[in-house]
Amino acid sequence: MKSKKYARVDEKRCVACGACTKVCPRGAISVVHGCYAKVDIDVCVGCGLCGKTCPVGCIFPVERVVEA
């Protein structure tokens, strides 16, 4: 069962520093073409470490949509 939340990145504010990729325990975050971070929502467990580490505060938790 997946967590109720996952991380989302505001790509316009992201500075691609890579801090989030280093703290993610599941390796769910990667920096795309040196431009912005991207979260693999199928791997993300919603722990929030990336959001706490982000120096510009562009990563935030989002509720998963439960498919019935």
Side-chain angles (χ1 to χ4, degrees), residues 3-8 60-66:
S3 65
K4 293 181 180 182
K5 294 184 179 186
Y6 66 93
R8 177 172 286 163
F60 51 94
V62 176
E63 293 287 328
R64 286 190 193 271
V65 177
V66 179

Side-chain angles (χ1 to χ4, degrees), residues 33-60:
H33 303 296
C35 298
Y36 57 86
K38 183 169 179 70
V39 178
D40 182 341
I41 64 172
D42 292 328
V43 179
C44 180
V45 294
C47 68
L49 288 175
C50 55
K52 292 175 186 170
T53 303
C54 181
V56 294
C58 71
I59 305 175
F60 51 94

